[in-house]
Amino acid sequence: VRGAIVSTFVSLMRRADTMRRIETDPVHSEWWAGYIRGLRRAHHGERFGTEAEHALWSSAAESTDPKRAALGRGYRAGLTLESRDPE
């Protein structure tokens, strides 16, 4: 089971990194960056980042700045460890 989880994580990370690099929309690019961060947090748990950082990334979704909000929404999506796309 652990191997399948690692394989899923690696696949999601590869896809997200590729999408971030080819993304032409700057807001969606921020979403991908947040998603990658969220995937790492979900996979590694509390060993990745502090609780304060987690709270900061999570709360970014509520920002009035479109790029910052996209970063936070991407982070939250990454926490699911599921394949997602910018909304």
Side-chain angles (χ1 to χ4, degrees):
V1 172
R2 179 75 180 139
I5 293 170
V6 170
S7 177
T8 298
F9 170 71
V10 169
S11 294
L12 291 172
M13 285 293 290
R14 279 192 188 128
R15 177 180 179 269
D17 185 55
T18 298
M19 296 303 292
R20 183 184 53 83
R21 284 187 280 113
I22 65 172
E23 182 60 66
T24 58
D25 181 322
V27 173
H28 284 176
S29 184
E30 289 298 309
W31 186 94
W32 286 112
Y35 179 72
I36 289 168
R37 175 84 183 195
L39 287 174
R40 288 182 174 140
R41 173 66 181 204
H43 180 72
H44 297 292
E46 293 179 0
R47 295 173 307 188
F48 186 83
T50 64
E51 272 305 310
E53 288 171 331
H54 173 64
L56 187 63
W57 280 83
S58 293
S59 68
E62 310 306 323
S63 175
T64 57
D65 176 80
K67 287 183 179 180
R68 183 168 169 77
L71 199 63
R73 287 192 312 273
Y75 180 75
R76 289 179 181 179
L79 292 174
T80 67
L81 272 177
E82 295 174 355
S83 182
R84 301 283 179 96
D85 291 309
E87 60 288 334

